[in-house]
Amino acid sequence: SSELTQDPAVSVALGQTVRITCQGDSLRSYYASWYQQKPGQAPVLVIYGKNNRPSGIPDRFSGSSSGNTASLTITGAQAEDEADYYCNSRDSSGVVFGGGTKLTVL
Amino acid sequence: QITLKESGPTLVKPTQTLTLTCTFSGFSLSTSGVGVGWIRQPPGKALEWLALIYWDDDKRYSPSLKSRLTITKDTSKNQVVLTMTNMDPVDTATYYCAHRPVMSRDSSGYYSYYFDYWGQGTLVTVSS
């Protein structure tokens, strides 16, 4: 089955830009979607499609894709962006999630 | 406004069967292209997709758990039910249901596939 690979942890200084990546063969056919999850809360969709933000998601969140790699970029990271981030796509079996990236804002 | 809410037992014994219900509002599971999925998350671990049911009753399961899972829908009640047999302590997790909107394809040929609304989740503990 397909897998989506994410770096376990990434850190960024307050106000700086950070990129979180997700790799997998399914990303050659499907855009990754990205979810933010804070402790004790359900995941929240932050990016879907080519680069779409649901209502209420700040425009500092953006998405991109190239080949088998998708990226979530936070431009001007804020303290409230500290969270776990998961990518998600479809594969031949159904659905696949990445292992998650813990983002620390310093 | 789309909402989903999971319900079911908080504690099950090993070898028992877990039955979880997702009750939703704001959409119909008879609308073409729509789906509802189940995703779980063991404490401190990553999200894991379990199952998905589509408007046309097509069902997909995680290959690693397929033999233990059954997903059904009751369109008239706006509910999706997941059953998982032979529960084990490693199945202790928060279980989420989520809405999957109609999948679209853009001019470059890529599909958009995502879950846009999630329930609050329900923690299920497996212990004797």
Side-chain angles (χ1 to χ4, degrees), chain B residues 10-114:
Chain B
T10 58
L11 178 67
V12 297
K13 290 179 167 43
T15 75
Q16 287 186 335
T17 293
L18 171 69
T19 298
L20 294 173
T21 300
C22 175
T23 303
F24 56 85
S25 63
F27 69 97
S28 173
L29 201 39
S30 61
T31 299
S32 179
V34 171
V36 171
W38 284 94
I39 301 102
R40 72 177 179 180
Q41 185 174 38
K45 296 189 176 182
L47 299 172
E48 178 185 20
W49 171 69
L50 300 176
L52 183 64
I53 190 165
Y54 293 96
W55 84 103
D56 60 356
D57 210 37
D58 185 22
K59 301 164 187 176
R60 301 297 169 121
Y61 297 100
S62 166
S64 62
L65 293 166
K66 185 175 183 178
S67 63
R68 299 173 53 205
L69 296 173
T70 302
I71 189 170
T72 60
K73 63 180 176 70
D74 186 330
T75 305
S76 65
K77 293 183 178 179
N78 282 350
Q79 290 182 333
V80 171
V81 175
L82 180 75
T83 61
M84 180 180 290
T85 61
N86 194 24
M87 293 292 284
D88 183 272
V90 299
D91 296 313
T92 294
T94 296
Y95 287 75
Y96 298 99
C97 62
H99 171 262
R100 202 225 68 175
V102 178
M103 190 169 63
S104 61
R105 187 178 185 184
D106 69 8
S107 57
S108 62
Y110 275 70
Y111 290 92
S112 294
Y113 196 95
Y114 54 96

Side-chain angles (χ1 to χ4, degrees), chain A residues 12 15-20 32-38 43-64 71-86 101-105:
Chain A
V12 61
Q16 296 303 299
T17 296
V18 62
R19 176 174 293 182
I20 299 170
S33 52
W34 291 93
Y35 306 85
Q36 177 192 71
Q37 187 181 34
K38 297 181 179 180
V44 173
L45 179 68
V46 295
I47 291 290
Y48 67 96
K50 189 172 185 179
N51 181 20
N52 301 298
R53 285 175 287 105
S55 175
I57 302 300
D59 61 5
R60 62 179 178 272
F61 289 88
S62 63
S64 61
S71 300
L72 172 70
T73 300
I74 306 174
T75 303
Q78 302 299 303
E80 60 265 31
D81 300 334
E82 185 162 292
D84 294 326
Y85 290 86
Y86 294 91
T101 297
K102 182 176 182 60
L103 176 66
T104 300
V105 180

Side-chain angles (χ1 to χ4, degrees), chain A residues 5-29:
Chain A
T5 302
Q6 298 182 241
D7 291 328
V10 171
S11 62
V12 61
L14 184 67
Q16 296 303 299
T17 296
V18 62
R19 176 174 293 182
I20 299 170
T21 61
C22 173
Q23 287 189 306
D25 287 341
S26 64
L27 301 181
R28 296 185 185 278
S29 300

